[in-house]
Amino acid sequence: MELQKGRPADTAGRLEKEIRTYDLLDRLGVEYERVDHAPAMTMEVCQEIDQTLHAVICKNLFLCNRQKTNFYLLMMPGDKPFKTKDLSGQLGVARLSFADEAHMEEMLDLLPGSVSIMGLANDTEHRVQLVIDREVLEGEYLGCHPCMNTSSIKLKTKDVLEKFLPAVRHTATVVDLPWPVPEEGQPG
């Protein structure tokens, strides 16, 4: 894996949704670094990519309410465990679950393993609410996939908030998800 500045010089073999992501970032004047890699399907694989990017790739979860009428894209630190009850209470939603692949593809033009904030550019009907754990906002950079899990990009958090989100007409709800409390007798 080699860190590259900006978009790939050769776009042969890359999907249109990945190219659209680079086009949008370039049009917005958002600088980014990129690394190409084998498909990253798990957060464990992303840890190796993190070391090359020098940024933490966020865990991105596509969630919905029980009725499948409200959809959420949650960004949180990759190593933080996720418990639906912690988020449900902060959003005032009775029950959250993982949304299905069909809704993910329909709303964000993404497939499992490639979920990313960049997919919000494809949510032109604004059906997905972005939810960000406050810890993600504390970092100078964040890492994500450009709508494909065979590349990862490093962006300034400030650029995502001040340039990307306004351009795709989305806002973020900020939550504070807790770290688990170690059980007595367990290392903390």
Side-chain angles (χ1 to χ4, degrees):
M1 280 186 282
E2 185 180 329
L3 196 59
Q4 306 283 326
K5 186 154 179 66
R7 69 187 307 125
D10 180 10
T11 58
R14 296 187 187 257
L15 295 181
E16 176 60 30
K17 57 185 154 189
E18 181 181 2
I19 302 307
R20 281 194 319 258
T21 300
Y22 301 135
D23 289 345
L24 175 58
L25 293 174
D26 292 346
R27 192 169 60 249
L28 295 174
V30 173
E31 292 183 14
Y32 55 95
E33 292 180 295
R34 174 187 49 81
V35 64
D36 295 327
H37 47 74
M41 297 299 289
T42 66
M43 288 310 301
E44 289 76 23
V45 173
C46 289
Q47 288 174 347
E48 182 181 338
I49 299 164
D50 291 352
Q51 293 173 356
T52 302
L53 276 182
H54 303 291
V56 176
I57 295 181
C58 296
K59 183 184 300 184
N60 293 273
L61 304 175
F62 186 53
L63 307 165
C64 64
N65 63 350
R66 181 189 316 251
Q67 300 81 8
K68 296 185 180 180
T69 54
N70 296 324
F71 293 85
Y72 307 89
L73 175 62
L74 171 64
M75 291 179 66
M76 62 186 292
D79 58 346
K80 186 182 265 190
F82 173 66
K83 295 193 175 179
T84 55
K85 69 179 176 81
D86 294 332
L87 182 61
S88 295
Q90 291 186 52
L91 295 178
V93 178
R95 182 175 163 256
L96 286 173
S97 61
F98 290 96
D100 59 67
E101 185 176 333
H103 281 104
M104 182 186 304
E105 192 165 7
E106 172 194 338
M107 293 178 198
L108 299 174
D109 193 19
L110 298 174
L111 296 173
S114 63
V115 178
S116 160
I117 190 172
M118 295 294 119
L120 292 176
N122 302 318
D123 179 29
T124 56
E125 295 179 23
H126 306 96
R127 295 174 59 194
V128 179
Q129 172 62 51
L130 176 63
V131 180
I132 303 177
D133 184 356
R134 187 174 311 279
E135 274 188 61
V136 171
L137 302 177
E138 293 170 357
E140 182 179 0
Y141 295 98
L142 63 85
C144 64
H145 296 307
C147 297
M148 285 301 305
N149 67 354
T150 53
S151 291
S152 296
I153 55 177
K154 172 184 173 180
L155 308 134
K156 285 186 177 177
T157 305
K158 181 178 179 177
D159 285 344
V160 171
L161 297 173
E162 295 177 5
K163 294 180 181 179
F164 175 76
L165 289 179
V168 299
R169 298 183 16 241
H170 277 78
T171 58
T173 298
V174 179
V175 295
D176 291 293
L177 298 176
W179 283 92
V181 177
E183 293 182 27
E184 199 172 314
Q186 297 293 316

